[in-house]
C-alpha cells in the first residue's frame, strides 16, 4: 500500500463500534504513520482523515 491508493476497510468480528462504523467504506491513503511494530496509515474516509492499521485495509485497485 502506498499514498494515493484506494482502500476499503475490511470486516472483522473483534472490531469496536468505531471500526464497525467504517467497515466497507472506501477511502484514499494520505500518509504513512509508524508506531512501534504496527504500521498505520492516514486514510481520508467519510470526509475526515483517520488513522487506520494497514492490516484492516484492502487495496481496491492494485494496477495503478
Amino acid at each position: 500500500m502506498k499514498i494515493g491508493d484506494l482502500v476499503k476497510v475490511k470486516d472483522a468480528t473483534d472490531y469496536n463500534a468505531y471500526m464497525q462504523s467504517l467497515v466497507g467504506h472506501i477511502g484514499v491513503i494520505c500518509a504513512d504513520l509508524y508506531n512501534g511494530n504496527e504500521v498505520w496509515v492516514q486514510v481520508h474516509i467519510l470526509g475526515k482523515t483517520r488513522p487506520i492499521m494497514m492490516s484492516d485495509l484492502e487495496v481496491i485497485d492494485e494496477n495503478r
Side-chain angles (χ1 to χ4, degrees), residues 3-18:
I3 295 173
D5 280 351
L6 286 174
V7 292
K8 184 169 90 171
V9 180
K10 295 181 195 177
D11 193 8
T13 57
D14 59 345
Y15 281 163
N16 58 23
Y18 170 75

Side-chain angles (χ1 to χ4, degrees):
M1 283 184 215
K2 59 188 181 297
I3 295 173
D5 280 351
L6 286 174
V7 292
K8 184 169 90 171
V9 180
K10 295 181 195 177
D11 193 8
T13 57
D14 59 345
Y15 281 163
N16 58 23
Y18 170 75
M19 283 302 293
Q20 282 294 338
S21 69
L22 298 177
V23 167
H25 287 282
I26 297 171
V28 177
I29 296 178
C30 301
D32 294 331
L33 300 173
Y34 297 96
N35 183 5
N37 293 330
E38 299 173 323
V39 178
W40 296 71
V41 290
Q42 290 281 351
V43 179
H44 189 74
I45 191 167
L46 294 175
K48 293 184 181 179
T49 302
R50 305 163 192 266
I52 301 177
M53 287 182 60
M54 287 180 73
S55 61
D56 293 333
L57 300 170
E58 60 183 275
V59 177
I60 293 176
D61 183 19
E62 294 183 27
N63 298 322
R64 286 185 42 170

